Amino acid sequence: MSKEKKPRDPKIGIVGGQAVLEGVMMKSGDRCSLAVRTPEGKISLYNAAKPSVRSKYKIARLPLIRGIVSFVEQLALSMDMLTRSADMQGIDLDEPETKFEKWLNDKFGDKLMSVITGIGGVLGIVLGVGLFLMLPTFAAKGIDALTGGFIGEHRVLRSLVEGLIRIAIFIAYVWGVSLLPDIRRTYEYHGAEHKSVACFEAGLELTPENARGCTRFHCRCGTSFIFVMLLISIVANSFLTWGNVWVRFASKLGMIPLIVGVGFEFIRYAGSHTNFFTKIVSAPGLWMQRITTREPDDSQLEVALAALRNAIPTEFGGVVQPSGILQEDGTTEPEPDSEPDKKEESGADGSHDA
């Protein structure tokens, strides 16, 4: 007698998010909600429709390609949400204090925050390429020289050494920034995001009390995604040449879209399948979440749950409300000195955080 396949829970994998400055962003399909705890202690909500190009173009939904598209969209959304969370926090970057800041303000005006965010993004990419692509390659080449060329005779071994160096740098970097108070607090909101999603997927009432008892580790987390890509890169890079370090470096850059696409497919699969293979490959990423997530307090869980309720579909208990300050009765009121954005719409992908 064949064993019946257990039907998949429709709530699994439909919502994901990320931690931002004093808040959490949640997204489910087209619906996106950002909740931030203001300096006054209130919860400020930003709700809008953020449709994916995957809903418009069939080619963007093909395996591997959808992962690349999702990755690019997630980066853009992350930048936008970080900028908005700073604005909702009342962080004023338009008030010049130095001659350089005055020059920036005169040149860019209201676009100053976007310019600064763009510059930060470029510097982040340069730092990332240097730390995670160039440094491991040169370090592996140096170790090969110290061993008299032994490692270089076995390209799989050399790729493994290079990959382990890259993983060590990643762990050291994540652990190092976790010591900064502001980053630690963001990691607490990261934990609140995970606990809220786990509470929803478990079918529990969305309350801080229920979310508090849920796990802060999630297999679809961006941390797990990065670690999966690091593991895949060890295998993929073993096929690349070691004859010229610069050719190898350029080849590794060209392999990134393929690694991102494969990594996305694995995370997508692991999010709805639990077996020996997914447990083994997911284990390092889940372990890393002990660093990138921290136990949140109830006020942080309240923020994450507010974003979650406004992101999930109404058939799962989601609410559709305008952006504004969340009131005790669950309604929102427009923030002072704010004008409603007529282009914003409350909109329902299971993309997770970054």
Side-chain angles (χ1 to χ4, degrees):
M1 184 176 180
S2 61
K3 188 176 181 180
E4 292 187 8
K5 186 177 180 180
K6 185 178 179 180
R8 186 171 182 266
D9 189 334
K11 297 189 298 300
I12 302 299
I14 69 167
V15 63
Q18 74 172 82
V20 295
L21 299 175
E22 286 298 323
V24 171
M25 180 278 292
M26 293 285 189
K27 188 174 187 296
S28 179
D30 291 350
R31 298 181 63 175
C32 178
S33 179
L34 172 66
V36 171
R37 180 74 68 179
T38 68
E40 296 75 28
K42 297 182 179 180
I43 297 178
S44 177
L45 286 171
Y46 166 76
N47 296 324
K50 298 289 184 179
S52 169
V53 297
R54 286 179 289 170
S55 63
K56 299 178 181 179
Y57 304 102
K58 187 176 181 180
I59 189 174
R61 297 193 296 270
L62 295 177
L64 297 183
I65 294 178
R66 61 188 175 190
I68 300 170
V69 172
S70 177
F71 183 73
V72 173
E73 288 183 335
Q74 188 63 35
L75 283 179
L77 182 62
S78 295
M79 298 280 281
D80 181 29
M81 293 298 105
L82 284 171
T83 302
R84 289 185 182 277
S85 65
D87 186 49
M88 292 161 74
Q89 271 287 296
I91 298 176
D92 188 4
L93 295 179
D94 295 325
E95 189 67 32
E97 296 179 356
T98 67
K99 290 182 179 180
F100 178 64
E101 289 173 336
K102 289 180 181 179
W103 179 83
L104 285 176
N105 192 61
D106 291 339
K107 288 291 183 180
F108 300 105
D110 295 337
K111 297 180 180 180
L112 178 58
M113 185 61 185
S114 297
V115 172
I116 292 176
T117 302
I119 293 174
V122 171
L123 292 177
I125 292 173
V126 172
L127 178 63
V129 169
L131 277 179
F132 301 111
L133 288 181
M134 297 185 69
L135 181 57
T137 298
F138 285 115
K141 190 175 182 64
I143 293 175
D144 180 43
L146 292 175
T147 60
F150 173 76
I151 296 177
E153 295 175 359
H154 308 81
R155 64 167 56 199
V156 175
L157 177 60
R158 194 169 180 178
S159 181
L160 178 62
V161 170
E162 182 189 53
L164 292 176
I165 292 173
R166 186 180 299 111
I167 290 174
I169 293 172
F170 173 66
I171 294 174
Y173 174 80
V174 171
W175 176 80
V177 299
S178 72
L179 300 178
L180 301 174
D182 289 342
I183 298 298
R184 182 183 178 88
R185 188 152 179 82
T186 302
Y187 284 175
E188 290 172 358
Y189 274 106
H190 191 187
E193 179 235 321
H194 281 193
K195 282 175 172 283
S196 299
V197 172
C199 182
F200 168 69
E201 293 184 341
L204 302 175
E205 184 181 357
L206 301 180
T207 64
E209 292 76 19
N210 287 338
R212 192 190 311 138
C214 294
T215 180
R216 75 174 201 264
F217 309 119
H218 205 293
C219 61
R220 293 197 315 277
C221 174
T223 306
S224 295
F225 176 64
I226 292 174
F227 224 102
V228 166
M229 288 199 300
L230 291 174
L231 295 176
I232 294 173
S233 69
I234 294 176
V235 178
N237 293 339
S238 66
F239 295 97
L240 303 180
T241 179
W242 281 98
N244 185 300
V245 69
W246 295 108
V247 172
R248 179 172 177 79
F249 172 63
S251 300
K252 286 162 66 176
L253 285 175
M255 290 287 286
I256 289 178
L258 176 61
I259 293 172
V260 167
V262 174
F264 177 86
E265 296 302 325
F266 174 80
I267 291 294
R268 181 185 175 96
Y269 175 82
S272 56
H273 296 80
T274 302
N275 52 51
F276 181 75
F277 173 69
T278 58
K279 286 181 178 179
I280 291 296
V281 180
S282 300
L286 292 172
W287 178 84
M288 279 298 298
Q289 289 177 42
R290 297 182 182 278
I291 301 177
T292 61
T293 65
R294 301 285 183 175
E295 285 295 333
D297 58 32
D298 282 2
S299 67
Q300 292 168 319
L301 288 171
E302 288 175 358
V303 172
L305 290 169
L308 180 65
R309 292 190 192 95
N310 282 267
I312 57 176
T314 54
E315 58 264 34
F316 294 121
V319 295
V320 180
Q321 55 191 159
S323 302
I325 298 295
L326 187 63
Q327 305 298 304
E328 291 185 2
D329 61 0
T331 61
T332 57
E333 288 188 1
E335 297 188 55
D337 303 324
S338 67
E339 297 181 2
D341 188 347
K342 293 182 180 180
K343 293 182 181 180
E344 292 178 13
E345 300 177 8
S346 293
D349 179 299
S351 60
H352 210 66
D353 51 356

